[in-house]
Amino acid sequence: KNIVPQNTVIQLSENWITIVGAEIVWGTAQKEAKTFSKVLPCPILCTEYFDDDYVEISVYKTGKCIAKHIPVSYESFKRTVGKPIQFIEAFGMNAESEKDLKIIFQERDPETCVHLLECIFKCILWVDIESIHSVRLPELTYLTEYLENKKKKQ
C-alpha cells in the first residue's frame, strides 16, 4: 500500500494482490506494472483490457517484460501469441499447464481468453473500482469444458 497510496490494494484471489485505481487505465497499466516490478520481489501480472476488443496480458519482473500474450490485433497493437513456458517459469506453475496454455493462447476472443486465464492462474485478471467487491472467478468447469471441446476438434 505504501508503494501505491493513491490506489486500492486488495486481495481478491488467494496468493494474489490486486491493485486498482482511477489512474491505472488502459494505456497506463503496463507502465505501472513495470514500476511495481522494480520495487516488489515478485513477478507482476498485468492486464490491459479495452471494450472486449483488446487485451494484453504481460508479466514484469525487475522492470522488464518477461512474458506477454495479446490474443488479437487491435489498431496498431499486433497479435502476440504467448509462450507458455515463460508464464510457467514466472509463476512456478507445473509443467502440465503448458499444454493447456498452448490451447488457450490460440483463442482470439479477448473476453474468453481473460476468463480462461483467470481459471489457469486462479486470480481475477480484470476488475475496475466499481466492481471490485462483486467480481468473482469463473467456475473451473469453464476451463475444463473449453479444453475438452478444443481437444475433440484437434
Side-chain angles (χ1 to χ4, degrees):
K1 289 185 180 184
N2 294 336
I3 298 169
V4 289
Q6 72 279 15
N7 296 307
T8 299
V9 179
I10 188 169
Q11 184 170 6
L12 296 175
S13 309
E14 189 176 335
N15 299 320
W16 293 90
I17 300 297
T18 300
I19 301 171
V20 180
E23 302 301 315
I24 302 176
V25 296
W26 188 67
T28 66
Q30 301 296 327
K31 181 181 173 187
E32 294 289 338
K34 182 177 181 177
T35 300
F36 297 151
S37 76
K38 290 177 182 178
V39 296
L40 296 173
C42 56
I44 305 298
L45 180 60
C46 178
T47 305
E48 285 202 295
Y49 198 9
F50 182 71
D51 286 348
D52 293 334
D53 292 323
Y54 175 82
V55 67
E56 180 174 336
I57 311 291
S58 301
V59 181
Y60 287 84
K61 191 168 187 178
T62 62
K64 294 180 176 71
C65 181
I66 61 170
K68 181 183 289 194
H69 177 65
I70 302 171
V72 66
S73 297
Y74 180 73
E75 295 183 356
S76 65
F77 301 98
K78 300 294 179 212
R79 181 173 194 258
T80 303
V81 178
K83 294 180 176 124
I85 195 70
Q86 293 174 334
F87 286 83
I88 288 167
E89 289 174 354
F91 296 113
M93 299 166 67
N94 66 44
E96 296 170 9
S97 297
E98 185 173 4
K99 62 182 179 230
D100 294 343
L101 283 171
K102 282 182 181 178
I103 294 170
I104 292 167
F105 286 162
Q106 296 308 308
E107 177 58 54
R108 289 179 175 251
D109 178 67
E111 182 179 15
T112 302
C113 188
V114 165
H115 292 314
L116 292 167
L117 291 172
E118 286 177 329
C119 292
I120 287 278
F121 295 130
K122 297 179 180 73
C123 79
I124 302 298
L125 291 182
W126 186 88
V127 63
D128 61 17
I129 202 72
E130 290 84 28
S131 62
I132 200 164
H133 297 291
S134 61
V135 68
R136 300 285 177 260
L137 282 172
E139 294 292 326
L140 189 55
T141 55
Y142 183 83
L143 173 65
T144 55
E145 289 172 3
Y146 177 90
L147 293 172
E148 286 172 10
N149 287 335
K150 290 295 182 181
K151 288 174 184 175
K152 285 179 188 174
K153 293 178 182 179
Q154 289 181 340

